[in-house]
Amino acid sequence: MTNEQILATCRSNWEYRGVEDAAMREMLDELSAHLEDAQAAGRTAQDVVGPDVRAFAAAWARERTPFAHRALRMLAMAAYMLGWLLLLLHLTRWTAQLDVTAAHGAFLVAAGAGRVAWELRRGVMRLYQQWALSLVVALPVAILTRWLAGDGVLFTLPLWVAPVLLLPGLPYAVFDMRARRGRKGDPARP
């Protein structure tokens, strides 16, 4: 893996984990200097970052971003995604009241647990991979739960719950969108 590929992998991992731009630039400059020093000394890039670049980037991001900040971001984004899912369900069923069964709850819990486990282990996941993981993990759980628990309604969610769930993650989503637009327009970044 070349130095540019290592820097690009680390940058994408840090962007995904919510490391601020100023801190990310500082980390990229420091890593670039270490990689150049290692190359000048006749060592490989693997000597600096180890065999797994994603694990290296994740460990450095954890050191750089406090746990409370990461946990708050993850909870806000989970509520944001749940809000969009509920809003989509309300719109597709064209109802202001959404009946929630045990299978719905099991699907959401399994999808969320699979997503969090993947993020903690590997880090980066694209949107189509998130949906594929949700289907592979959560769909069998939902089918099994429906088979075991039946179709009884646990509770009913009104339409206003979806926008309330969207609110905590909205600032993070806007920040991420602006950061992506800024990266596309900045050709000087590695």
Side-chain angles (χ1 to χ4, degrees), residues 162-183:
V164 168
L165 287 173
L166 288 172
L167 288 177
L170 197 57
Y172 292 108
V174 169
F175 178 76
D176 290 348
M177 186 174 55
R178 286 184 179 172
R180 275 193 296 273
R181 284 185 188 163
R183 281 191 307 276

Side-chain angles (χ1 to χ4, degrees), residues 3-15 19-36 56-57 60 64 183 189-190:
N3 290 355
E4 291 79 23
Q5 290 172 329
I6 290 172
L7 291 172
T9 301
C10 289
R11 180 178 13 91
S12 68
N13 193 299
W14 295 332
E15 288 168 349
V19 176
E20 290 84 21
D21 279 341
M24 189 181 340
R25 277 188 236 111
E26 180 183 320
M27 293 164 69
L28 285 170
D29 291 342
E30 185 178 341
L31 179 58
S32 179
H34 284 302
L35 290 172
E36 289 171 5
F56 168 80
W60 200 355
R64 195 68 173 200
R183 281 191 307 276
R189 293 181 99 167

